Amino acid sequence: MNRAIINFEPKTLNAIHSYSLELLRSTGIKFPCEKALEIFKKHGFRTDGDMVFFKQADIRSAMESVPSAFSIKARNPANSIRIGDNNFVMAPGYGPPFIIEPSGEKRDATLADVQNFCKLVQTSKHLDFNSAIVVQPADVPQDTAHLDILLSTMLLTDKPIMGSSVSKAAAEDSLKMAEMIWGRTSEPVMISLIDSLAPLQYAAEMVDAILIYAAAGQPLIIHSACTLGTTGPITIAGSLVVSNATNLAGICLAQLINPGTPIVYGLGGSPTEMKSGGYVNGSPEDANHTAIAAAMGQYYNIPCRSQGALTESFCLDYQAGMESAMMLTTAALSGVHLCLHACGTYGSMIAMSYEKFIADEDLCGALKKLIQPVEFTDDAWALDLIKELGTSGNYMLQMHTVNRCRTEFFRPDLSNQKIHNEWFEMEPRDITQRAGMLLKKRLRGYEKPEIDPQIEKDLSQYINQRKQTT
């Protein structure tokens, strides 16, 4: 099934690719890492200082070795996911350092928040895996925060995980901790985000993460994005060339290290708020980039990633719903395979909200239902029943209805479907308060997934030892 809602002419996609190749050949991409530069030189690439230059044949060879789909093994095999094909998998917010309370007040995120969001991911009917940094806790040392986050994710969820890419040490720790659960394996057991720098460069820690994860055969999301008018051209077309060229260079490095390394193609772009100089999420331009990312993933025949339910709002108002729905619906209907920031994000990805997390889950569930193929089986046609009842029938009490009534329709947990009188008498009516009630119920009902006690002990001992030596 083709989910694309925006059909780009082949000449447009060819132009993005062609102009990207021109930049790669003439301008190059900055890789501030001696080991990476040595790998490029070993394979005959031209370099000048930190700059690496690419030929069309180099890019073609790299893209041909990327698998079109792959699976990630979860601690609970029943929760393993397939990325690519026609699947659409989602994770919550990624990286916010703050929490927005229902009052609108902003506070620092803590390790307790990390743990609460892990519990929400574990109990979610719609989220498929957990982010590497669902929030950035301020109450633990930043040099070792990734260890606390990894431990929380591995113990409190048994869904697929993301490795940390905040530093070379964090990537190495991610693999070592994963080995305690799955043993030494080149089978994908985590996926990690590689964010480039705009324009046309990678930070040293991201290059280190590519080197480490690719060598281990672990999947990477290679993602590039410009802020239109500041870190890239003000036009979508210009930003696409910058971001796509940077993506292709990162993918090429991963394939040089380990041909066949699973890759997810990511591309974004947000307008600059010209009065403040900040960037704006949840915009039509953001949604355009989401659709084009899906088209470019299809162009290269590799899985693609998008942004999720983003908004500039800081409360559960019409703006939050409108912007989040526009972003996530575009992703779902354009054919995106993997989505970060699907639940909970406020204000340019600066903060998470528990209440928005709960609300966004309804959106995720509705969109997963929307993209399911409509059933056209003999039982679904119900032709015999239609003939039997004719013009006077009541379908409500028929076994055909009874057998399907609990599964046929999407049923939201938070959104209102009551008639006016029932809604008017409902307490509380406010959606934020109702989300808060569901939140408390979810956290009260959470049950920690089983894990071998020895593995849990080994993981805890590892992070305690690492903290003492850092």
Side-chain angles (χ1 to χ4, degrees):
M1 180 178 67
N2 180 7
R3 290 192 269 125
I5 57 172
I6 302 176
N7 294 309
F8 297 95
E9 295 181 2
K11 68 177 184 180
T12 300
L13 303 180
N14 287 334
I16 295 171
H17 180 66
S18 177
Y19 292 142
S20 299
L21 292 177
E22 183 177 333
L23 279 181
L24 289 167
R25 176 186 57 79
S26 62
T27 305
I29 305 295
K30 185 177 181 179
F31 285 90
C33 172
E34 282 300 321
K35 186 174 181 180
L37 292 170
E38 288 302 317
I39 291 172
F40 283 122
K41 292 174 185 177
K42 177 182 175 182
H43 288 85
F45 286 70
R46 180 169 67 92
T47 65
D48 182 3
D50 291 344
M51 301 300 294
V52 181
F53 304 86
F54 299 77
K55 299 175 183 176
Q56 180 176 355
D58 301 324
I59 299 300
R60 183 189 304 115
S61 176
M63 302 308 291
E64 287 174 350
S65 67
V66 178
S68 61
F70 59 92
S71 299
I72 300 180
K73 188 176 182 180
R75 183 157 70 78
N76 176 359
N79 289 330
S80 297
I81 56 176
R82 181 79 173 163
I83 295 178
D85 300 326
N86 198 45
N87 298 314
F88 185 38
V89 298
M90 304 186 204
Y94 189 112
F98 301 113
I99 301 291
I100 298 294
E101 301 285 18
S103 63
E105 294 176 304
K106 182 179 71 173
R107 65 169 174 84
D108 290 338
T110 66
L111 185 57
D113 294 312
V114 172
Q115 295 165 348
N116 281 337
F117 281 119
C118 286
K119 294 174 183 179
L120 292 176
V121 170
Q122 176 66 16
T123 56
S124 177
K125 296 181 292 186
H126 308 302
L127 292 178
D128 304 284
F129 65 108
N130 198 21
S131 294
I133 314 172
V134 65
V135 288
Q136 182 65 51
D139 59 339
V140 294
Q142 292 307 293
D143 287 346
T144 58
H146 67 277
L147 293 168
D148 294 302
I149 297 171
L150 283 165
L151 183 65
S152 297
T153 299
M154 290 176 171
L155 297 184
L156 300 179
T157 73
D158 59 11
K159 293 184 178 182
I161 64 173
M162 294 188 73
S164 179
S165 56
V166 298
S167 67
K168 180 180 179 182
E172 293 171 340
D173 288 330
S174 299
L175 289 178
K176 289 176 182 176
M177 293 175 71
E179 286 175 3
M180 296 177 191
I181 298 174
W182 290 282
R184 286 187 173 273
T185 178
S186 60
E187 182 181 12
V189 296
M190 62 175 63
I191 188 167
S192 304
L193 176 62
I194 305 298
D195 263 326
S196 70
L197 289 175
L200 302 173
Q201 58 188 309
Y202 284 87
E205 65 270 16
M206 291 295 151
V207 183
D208 287 334
I210 294 175
L211 295 171
I212 292 166
Y213 286 121
Q218 295 303 309
L220 295 168
I221 305 168
I222 306 288
H223 179 262
S224 298
C226 292
T227 303
L228 308 183
T230 49
T231 64
I234 197 169
T235 58
I236 291 176
S239 78
L240 291 173
V241 177
V242 172
S243 295
N244 188 59
T246 313
N247 269 1
L248 295 179
I251 294 171
C252 186
L253 175 59
Q255 300 307 306
L256 292 176
I257 297 164
N258 187 359
T261 296
I263 299 291
V264 175
Y265 176 99
L267 186 151
S270 301
T272 300
E273 208 297 307
M274 289 297 176
K275 294 181 180 179
S276 67
Y279 67 94
V280 177
N281 280 154
S283 67
E285 294 80 13
D286 253 335
N288 285 148
H289 279 84
T290 291
I292 296 169
M296 293 307 296
Q298 294 163 10
Y299 181 84
Y300 294 122
N301 193 31
I302 63 176
C304 59
R305 169 250 162 136
S306 76
Q307 311 285 33
L310 302 182
T311 179
E312 286 296 296
S313 180
F314 290 104
C315 65
L316 275 181
D317 58 2
Y318 182 85
Q319 178 184 347
M322 177 192 74
E323 292 173 348
S324 297
M326 176 180 64
M327 290 294 298
L328 205 55
T329 302
T330 301
L333 296 185
S334 293
V336 165
H337 299 108
L338 181 150
C339 178
L340 300 182
H341 306 286
C343 285
T345 307
Y346 272 150
S348 298
M349 297 182 282
I350 197 68
M352 284 286 284
S353 158
Y354 286 107
E355 292 74 23
K356 187 170 186 288
F357 187 107
I358 298 296
D360 284 339
E361 281 186 305
D362 270 2
L363 176 58
C364 293
L367 290 174
K368 284 193 170 182
K369 175 69 173 180
L370 175 64
I371 64 176
Q372 287 180 4
V374 175
E375 180 186 348
F376 291 113
T377 63
D378 288 343
D379 187 65
W381 288 116
L383 195 59
D384 290 342
L385 180 60
I386 296 170
K387 290 178 179 179
E388 177 186 341
L389 297 183
T391 61
S392 59
N394 182 344
Y395 290 84
M396 179 68 75
L397 301 180
Q398 298 299 316
M399 288 307 300
H400 185 267
T401 301
V402 172
N403 291 337
R404 289 170 169 261
C405 66
R406 289 180 174 82
T407 59
E408 191 71 14
F409 309 133
F410 171 72
R411 300 177 66 185
D413 291 325
L414 178 63
S415 299
N416 174 61
Q417 294 185 326
K418 299 179 182 295
I419 62 175
H420 178 267
N421 288 345
E422 293 175 345
W423 167 81
F424 192 72
E425 295 173 359
M426 186 169 59
E427 288 291 340
R429 288 203 302 264
D430 178 77
I431 191 170
T432 303
Q433 294 180 42
R434 288 190 284 117
M437 293 171 61
L438 284 176
L439 170 68
K440 291 178 182 178
K441 182 179 179 181
R442 284 272 293 281
L443 292 177
R444 282 198 305 266
Y446 168 81
E447 295 182 3
K448 182 181 175 183
E450 292 184 4
I451 188 170
D452 185 319
Q454 186 59 50
I455 293 177
E456 181 170 354
K457 181 179 178 181
D458 291 344
L459 289 168
S460 297
Q461 287 181 342
Y462 177 82
I463 72 163
N464 288 334
Q465 291 169 359
R466 281 282 292 112
K467 286 180 179 180
Q468 292 173 7
T469 58
T470 299

